[in-house]
Amino acid sequence: MTYTLLVNCKSNSSRAENFIRLSEDIIRKKLPGCEIKYISSPDQLLKEASLSAQNSSAVIACGGDGTAQSIARGVHGSNALMGLIPVGSGNDFAKSIGLKTKKSIEYYLDVILKQQVISVDVPVINDQIFINTAGIGFDGLTNYYASGFKSLKGTMKYTFAGLKAFLNAKPFVVSGTIDGSSFNRKVWLIAVANGAVEGGKYLISPNSINSDRLLELVIVPAYNRLKLGLAFILLSLGRAIPDTFSEVITFKEASLKIADSHFIHLDGEIGESSSDYGIKLKSEYLNVLGIKSDE
């Protein structure tokens, strides 16, 4: 096995970079001959992931969910495996493949060396790959505000961003088709879930499994703002939104239209908003080094 580690120097306010630099001796001892690249640009992360996937058995994402997304986009469709050292401010995808957070470098390297391959679904929205969740409306606005809170980290950043979004969000109308059935709702948010958790602790879609060839559409209807605030408080406490507050539709393919101005995120990264969204799963899995659920 040959390994390339791609380190996002911007991830978690440079904490990801510092963690890897301090661990270089251990990494090179455990993974002899590995290459470590420190990268500051998201676009460069994707390019390096694509190049590394041609020359390495495994490409290791060192950062958070945004880093993992970039590496997944570069690795998907190649023969390379993807690995993770989750040292970002958000590490939801890592948790979904069995990894614990805030562990030693030895723990993550041992997971990589065990070579347990987990095949996960790869959703796309307007042909853009994401691996955990995408959110439109309140969800997208929260991530937009979170991106501006440079001094905060982890769930604290998303809590303050959510409070700001609560004060400024506006409901909007979504229409289209879901697996061929007509859809029309006025909502605060819609989230497309491949995984159960986003933002570190927000249990957005408890029953989502990222290997079942299905996605979940989580809908929070446009009820009064106080009820929206209660829903956000429940999420902030690590609880799922009650059925009386939301609707969840399991689907394979959807086509949605949104006429109003809105924000969107893909795995916590600001996405490009559109009036039309096509959502589906790629035919090929993403093969990731993780810990299988029966371990």
Side-chain angles (χ1 to χ4, degrees):
M1 290 282 288
T2 55
Y3 302 93
T4 299
L5 279 71
L6 300 182
V7 185
N8 185 350
C9 296
K10 297 290 182 66
S11 181
N12 204 5
S13 302
S14 299
R15 294 179 182 88
E17 177 187 2
N18 294 337
F19 182 85
I20 299 300
R21 287 194 185 279
L22 291 171
S23 305
E24 273 202 25
D25 289 344
I26 299 171
I27 294 169
R28 296 191 185 282
K29 183 177 179 180
K30 289 258 190 182
L31 307 177
C34 72
E35 189 169 6
I36 304 175
K37 297 181 180 181
Y38 294 93
I39 302 165
S40 297
S41 162
D43 291 338
Q44 193 62 30
L45 268 176
L46 175 56
K47 291 177 183 178
E48 289 292 346
S50 299
L51 290 172
S52 299
Q54 300 174 28
N55 305 310
S56 300
S57 306
V59 183
I60 314 302
C62 305
D65 288 319
T67 307
Q69 180 200 92
S70 294
I71 305 309
R73 289 178 175 180
V75 169
H76 183 256
S78 74
N79 293 322
L81 301 171
M82 176 177 165
L84 288 169
I85 298 178
V87 283
S89 58
N91 303 291
D92 300 310
F93 180 69
K95 296 170 191 172
S96 76
I97 58 167
L99 298 185
K100 298 177 181 178
T101 58
K102 299 180 181 179
K103 302 292 283 187
S104 67
I105 188 64
E106 289 90 348
Y107 167 83
Y108 299 117
L109 296 175
D110 286 344
V111 169
I112 292 167
L113 288 169
K114 285 179 181 177
Q115 296 182 24
Q116 291 188 0
V117 178
I118 299 173
S119 296
V120 301
D121 296 326
V122 180
V124 293
I125 184 164
N126 288 0
D127 296 322
Q128 292 294 304
I129 284 175
F130 64 100
I131 50 178
N132 189 56
T133 64
I136 301 172
F138 180 86
D139 210 12
L141 184 60
T142 296
N143 278 273
Y144 172 75
Y145 288 143
S147 68
F149 292 151
K150 303 298 184 183
S151 61
L152 298 176
K153 63 178 183 177
T155 57
M156 184 66 69
K157 176 169 66 174
Y158 293 100
T159 298
F160 278 96
L163 290 172
K164 188 173 181 179
F166 167 71
L167 295 173
N168 294 289
K170 296 179 180 179
F172 57 97
V173 175
V174 184
S175 61
T177 60
I178 300 175
D179 286 341
S181 297
S182 296
F183 176 87
N184 190 290
R185 301 281 197 287
K186 188 173 185 180
V187 303
W188 284 109
L189 74 84
I190 55 172
V192 183
N194 192 38
V197 178
E198 66 179 13
K201 66 177 180 180
Y202 299 101
L203 193 56
I204 192 72
S205 183
N207 296 321
S208 287
I209 301 170
N210 62 10
S211 58
D212 60 0
R213 304 305 295 167
L214 295 168
L215 296 168
E216 278 68 45
L217 190 72
V218 182
I219 303 150
V220 175
Y223 40 56
N224 67 70
R225 194 175 294 269
L226 288 177
K227 193 171 180 180
L228 174 67
L230 181 55
F232 176 69
I233 290 170
L234 291 172
L235 282 172
S236 299
L237 294 173
R239 295 172 58 184
I241 306 175
D243 293 342
T244 52
F245 284 61
S246 65
E247 180 183 358
V248 178
I249 301 173
T250 298
F251 73 103
K252 292 184 178 181
E253 189 167 349
S255 177
L256 303 177
K257 295 181 179 293
I258 304 172
D260 306 283
S261 175
H262 59 277
F263 287 88
I264 176 173
H265 81 84
L266 306 177
D267 297 321
E269 300 296 311
I270 299 170
E272 184 176 348
S273 61
S274 173
S275 58
D276 297 277
Y277 292 104
I279 307 163
K280 61 182 180 180
L281 289 171
K282 287 279 193 180
S283 58
E284 310 93 346
Y285 287 104
L286 175 68
N287 292 317
V288 186
L289 297 169
I291 299 175
K292 294 182 179 180
S293 58
D294 57 349
E295 292 294 320

